[in-house]
Amino acid sequence: MKALPRRLSTGKKPGAGRPKAGRERLLVVGNGMVGSKLCERLVSEGASKQFDLSVIGEEPRPAYDRVRLSSYVGHRDGERLELLPREWYEAEGIGLITGACVSAVDTEARRVLIEGAEPRSFDRLVFATGSYPFVPPIEGVDLPGVFVYRTIEDLDRIMSFSRGRKRAVVIGGGLLGLEAAQAVQALGLEEVHVVELASFLMPQQLNEPASHILESEVIRQGIELHLEQQTEAILDAGGGALALQFGDGSLLEADLVIISAGIRPRSAMAEASGVVCGPRGGIVVDDQLETNVSGVYAVGECALHRDRIYGLVAPGYAMAEVLARRLCGDRSAVFEGATLSTRLKMLGVNVVVMGEYLQPNRSLEYEDGAHYRMLVLDSRDRLVGAMGVGKWEESGRLQEAINSRRRVRRKQQVAFIRDGDVWGDVSGDVASWPEPALVCNCMQVSKGALCSLVRDGVADVDRLARETGASTVCGSCRPLLEELAGDPVTSSSGRRMGWLLGASCAGLGLALAAVLYPGVPVADSVETWWHKVGALWRNGVFKQVSGFSLMGVSVVGLLFSLRKRFSWFSFGHFAKWRLFHAAFGVTSLVALFVHTGFHFGSNLNFWLMFVFVMLNILGAVAGIVSALENRGVTRLAVVARRSRPYVSYAHLVLFWPFPILLIFHIASVYLY
């Protein structure tokens, strides 16, 4: 695993290292994802007026999306993964040096030493050196056929070596290990094995029940797992073959081995320069992301903030945002930490972890064989964390609820344990999510921010991504952007909304017919068929049957409305109950016609009819706006979303006179 020879390439002309008058020299050591984001944010903050900015990257290419590294196996085009092309740095006047290894940093003389190049001076320096793959101290890690999985160059070597090979073994069943297994499986090797020391996969992110769901899918895809196995050595089995020797003495043959046993912060260079680092690595920074050396900062996986190192992209991007603002004069910008929330797709399986999901709090669990979901609540029933394996349509709304520490009511807890959903009335369509819900967890982009752009005419997915950064990191939220941009809804919940709209429109039509065409005329001649129909309203027995049928339908509709009012009435999804409620509204109007012929009558009968018909009109309108608010991000949907609570409240208020009038009506028929 020797380092590749490095090629020096700079985006500036000779002599460009000298600062222009009146500008400080700002040097970023590291051109990974976070270093690239820092440059982008500095440019957007107008840093070119204040700084002469240079960036030194160790790899031979500009920063690329390491989160989607495994996709390189398919297209083998490094430029498709680039975050900012070399031309961008040149256009913004940033000196980009790639393929350069910084050998030392002299914080007193304010200069860095570069292998094979002249030293570069700085006034301020940012360490964005990221991390390196951890290689366990076991025998045989330097044998031919043993690789790490971290860079495009690593993948190039693995792909070259894998030709004609049959069996690959990945040491490490964590996030990076499973990505490596997916990559080598895509290369067409006949056998792929994953070896993990813990008793389940992804032990840093998941608990055991969640991991079992993931394990089932991994095995189904043909990857063999070896859990609770300690690799003692990698042996040369002869003829170019290798063998892993486990702690129990057993052997596992392999043609190539990939070590993906975790990462460590790259902080040795900073520590050698006098910058304080943690006992287990990591450059110690304060809330301003500054080290103990004035004018020297650190961001990303190399930074140790409040005794925590963040191994995810989103916190690193948040650090870059804060530091860019501070360097450009915003003294209010501070980094107070970040959650370890992320949404991933491992081997085609959705994995979501949010907030304080592994903290010792009260947890609620749901499992159905294909899904595992867990909510973590504090002592006041506020949502502080969540974990899930398998598709979870509520994940975006859950992130917003965790951020705001929203309380989970008792009936929601019961519903979650039974059905796995907190809000049964929320469809899986992103258009139905509340505005603060995060669509892109990596870039912290909310649905509201995206909807605002769509309403302003930005309906192209690529443009939404450029404007907000959503989907530009891991890409898992791109389907959500496509929905917001106007793609048709095909989910079952979307179909339910269509049925709700149809039933509500039918109900509104019948109710308006009762108002606009009151009192169906009865034929005078007994010979006509219509006279026979009129018997429905003249025959006492028919009147009683239809009257009590109407009352029964009304009571059933009332029971449906209780679904949202009482925690003990919590079975079934609320979206389905809403549809049934609308259907029974239509049924009640048909029953009303059979009972009255839409004759309003007078006095008490008139007011009973009036209240009943108005109840149906308001209910139908509430159903229509409920359906419309889930059908996109148009202005009509926004208006519907804002008006629905008022219409629903009016429907509820008008209901209370109805049972009183009904009781008096029945009493008047039988007592007078």
Side-chain angles (χ1 to χ4, degrees):
M1 294 185 295
K2 295 181 180 180
L4 287 175
R6 293 181 171 85
R7 170 180 61 85
L8 293 184
S9 175
T10 177
K12 279 192 173 184
K13 298 177 181 179
R18 294 188 296 273
K20 295 181 181 179
R23 294 200 299 174
E24 290 184 278
R25 294 164 296 186
L26 175 59
L27 182 61
V28 179
V29 179
N31 187 228
M33 295 183 71
V34 175
S36 169
K37 178 57 66 175
L38 177 61
C39 292
E40 185 179 16
R41 293 300 304 145
L42 284 167
V43 168
S44 66
E45 294 288 336
S48 58
K49 300 176 182 178
Q50 182 179 350
F51 296 107
D52 182 34
L53 178 58
S54 297
V55 186
I56 302 175
E58 189 174 16
E59 294 188 53
R61 68 190 77 239
Y64 54 89
D65 190 348
R66 207 182 301 275
V67 175
R68 290 189 280 187
L69 180 61
S70 59
S71 68
Y72 179 74
V73 172
H75 56 71
R76 309 198 182 192
D77 182 0
E79 290 187 359
R80 288 178 60 175
L81 295 177
E82 280 186 6
L83 298 173
L84 297 170
R86 195 180 298 274
E87 294 75 20
W88 180 87
Y89 293 90
E90 294 176 355
E92 299 297 340
I94 300 174
L96 174 64
I97 304 174
T98 56
C101 181
V102 175
S103 58
V105 175
D106 188 337
T107 55
E108 292 187 1
R110 298 281 175 169
R111 67 175 185 171
V112 298
L113 304 181
I114 306 173
E115 291 182 6
E118 294 184 0
R120 294 185 71 92
S121 299
F122 64 87
D123 297 302
R124 301 196 195 198
L125 180 137
V126 180
F127 285 105
T129 46
S131 60
Y132 65 91
F134 170 66
V135 178
I138 59 177
E139 177 187 349
V141 295
D142 56 349
L143 288 172
V146 179
F147 304 91
V148 294
Y149 183 87
R150 185 65 176 168
T151 68
I152 287 179
E153 284 66 45
D154 292 331
L155 261 178
D156 282 335
R157 289 192 287 270
I158 291 171
M159 289 189 293
S160 177
F161 188 87
S162 68
R163 295 190 185 97
R165 315 284 174 171
K166 295 182 178 180
R167 177 180 289 193
V169 176
V170 178
I171 300 177
L175 176 61
L176 295 178
L178 293 179
E179 285 187 1
Q182 179 176 317
V184 292
Q185 189 178 51
L187 291 174
L189 276 74
E190 294 180 7
E191 295 183 34
V192 179
H193 300 254
V194 173
V195 178
E196 170 55 43
L197 177 62
S199 60
F200 55 90
L201 296 177
M202 293 183 67
Q204 298 299 316
Q205 289 84 21
L206 303 179
N207 60 14
E208 194 163 356
S211 182
H212 287 334
I213 302 293
L214 178 61
E215 288 166 15
S216 299
E217 182 61 25
V218 171
I219 293 171
R220 190 189 69 79
Q221 295 188 25
I223 296 176
E224 297 189 40
L225 301 180
H226 305 265
L227 304 176
E228 296 185 272
Q229 289 288 9
Q230 170 74 53
T231 303
E232 297 286 348
I234 302 174
L235 308 177
D236 186 347
L242 302 169
L244 275 68
Q245 180 179 317
F246 297 137
D248 59 5
S250 61
L251 298 175
L252 176 62
E253 295 182 356
D255 293 317
L256 69 88
V257 175
I258 298 175
I259 298 176
S260 186
I263 58 174
R264 298 292 185 270
R266 298 189 66 177
S267 56
M269 180 179 17
E271 188 171 19
S273 70
V275 174
V276 173
C277 295
R280 300 179 62 184
I283 303 169
V284 177
V285 295
D286 57 20
D287 289 355
Q288 290 75 41
L289 300 171
E290 192 169 14
T291 69
N292 63 300
V293 179
S294 178
V296 176
Y297 311 84
V299 292
E301 293 175 334
C302 67
L304 178 64
H305 176 262
R306 297 185 184 181
D307 296 322
R308 171 175 281 185
I309 290 175
Y310 295 95
L312 297 172
V313 174
Y317 279 5
M319 289 181 183
E321 166 85 20
V322 168
L323 184 56
R325 288 168 54 194
R326 286 201 67 85
L327 289 173
C328 293
D330 184 356
R331 297 296 124 189
S332 65
V334 292
F335 181 74
E336 297 179 334
T339 67
L340 297 178
S341 303
T342 187
R343 294 199 294 264
L344 308 165
K345 197 164 223 179
M346 300 302 307
L347 295 163
V349 183
N350 291 286
V351 176
V352 57
V353 291
M354 303 176 181
E356 301 167 10
Y357 61 96
L358 291 179
Q359 296 300 315
N361 288 300
R362 186 165 69 92
S363 62
L364 308 175
E365 295 179 288
Y366 168 81
E367 185 174 353
D368 64 4
H371 304 82
Y372 173 85
R373 298 170 182 175
M374 181 181 73
L375 301 180
V376 181
L377 308 176
D378 66 9
S379 59
R380 297 172 60 186
D381 284 347
R382 293 178 302 186
L383 188 62
V384 297
M387 174 196 302
V389 176
K391 189 175 182 180
W392 197 354
E393 294 176 336
E394 292 186 332
S395 59
R397 186 169 182 180
L398 282 169
Q399 182 66 70
E400 180 267 330
I402 291 170
N403 292 344
S404 59
R405 289 295 195 265
R406 185 172 300 172
R407 186 172 176 270
V408 181
R409 299 192 303 274
R410 175 62 182 168
K411 72 173 184 179
Q412 292 174 319
Q413 297 178 32
V414 172
F416 175 79
I417 294 172
R418 184 191 63 248
D419 301 321
D421 292 322
V422 180
W423 303 277
D425 58 335
V426 177
S427 77
D429 310 321
V430 66
S432 69
W433 294 4
E435 297 285 301
L438 291 180
V439 173
C440 179
N441 203 67
C442 297
M443 297 297 295
Q444 298 291 293
V445 181
S446 69
K447 178 212 167 185
L450 292 165
C451 287
S452 178
L453 288 172
V454 172
R455 287 192 292 268
D456 290 339
V458 182
D460 178 76
V461 175
D462 292 332
R463 198 173 157 201
L464 280 174
R466 288 195 303 271
E467 294 280 347
T468 64
S471 82
T472 58
V473 181
C474 71
S476 62
C477 64
R478 189 171 180 88
L480 302 180
L481 265 67
E482 291 172 351
E483 286 186 35
L484 286 175
D487 277 11
V489 175
T490 57
S491 66
S492 59
S493 55
R495 289 193 294 270
R496 284 199 298 271
M497 290 301 105
W499 283 107
L500 175 62
L501 181 62
S504 299
C505 288
L508 181 60
L510 284 172
L512 290 176
V515 174
L516 298 175
Y517 305 101
V520 176
V522 179
D524 295 330
S525 174
V526 297
E527 300 299 327
T528 63
W529 66 271
W530 187 244
H531 183 274
K532 296 177 182 179
V533 173
L536 293 173
W537 306 306
R538 293 192 301 267
N539 187 288
V541 175
F542 279 133
K543 288 284 286 185
Q544 290 186 63
V545 171
S546 62
F548 282 107
S549 298
L550 175 59
M551 185 175 69
V553 171
S554 300
V555 170
V556 171
L558 170 63
L559 291 177
F560 283 170
S561 68
L562 296 180
R563 170 61 176 81
K564 195 174 182 180
R565 312 299 171 190
F566 299 99
S567 60
W568 49 265
F569 200 165
S570 57
F571 57 89
H573 287 277
F574 181 69
K576 293 181 180 179
W577 283 87
R578 179 183 280 164
L579 174 58
F580 288 141
H581 188 67
F584 269 81
V586 175
T587 305
S588 71
L589 287 166
V590 173
L592 180 68
F593 176 80
V594 173
H595 183 61
T596 68
F598 288 161
H599 290 85
F600 272 66
S602 59
N603 300 323
L604 176 64
N605 290 340
F606 173 83
W607 287 110
L608 179 60
M609 277 284 292
F610 175 80
V611 170
F612 190 84
V613 172
M614 287 304 299
L615 271 174
N616 276 276
I617 290 175
L618 289 172
V621 173
I624 290 171
V625 296
S626 296
L628 290 177
E629 71 174 333
N630 288 280
R631 295 178 71 85
V633 290
T634 62
R635 295 189 184 278
L636 179 61
V638 174
V639 172
R641 190 172 298 116
R642 291 173 178 171
S643 62
R644 181 178 59 82
Y646 301 103
V647 179
S648 299
Y649 183 73
H651 177 66
L652 181 64
V653 169
L654 190 61
F655 170 80
W656 294 108
F658 175 69
I660 298 173
L661 291 169
L662 181 62
I663 290 171
F664 276 106
H665 172 72
I666 295 173
S668 68
V669 171
Y670 287 97
L671 297 180
Y672 300 101

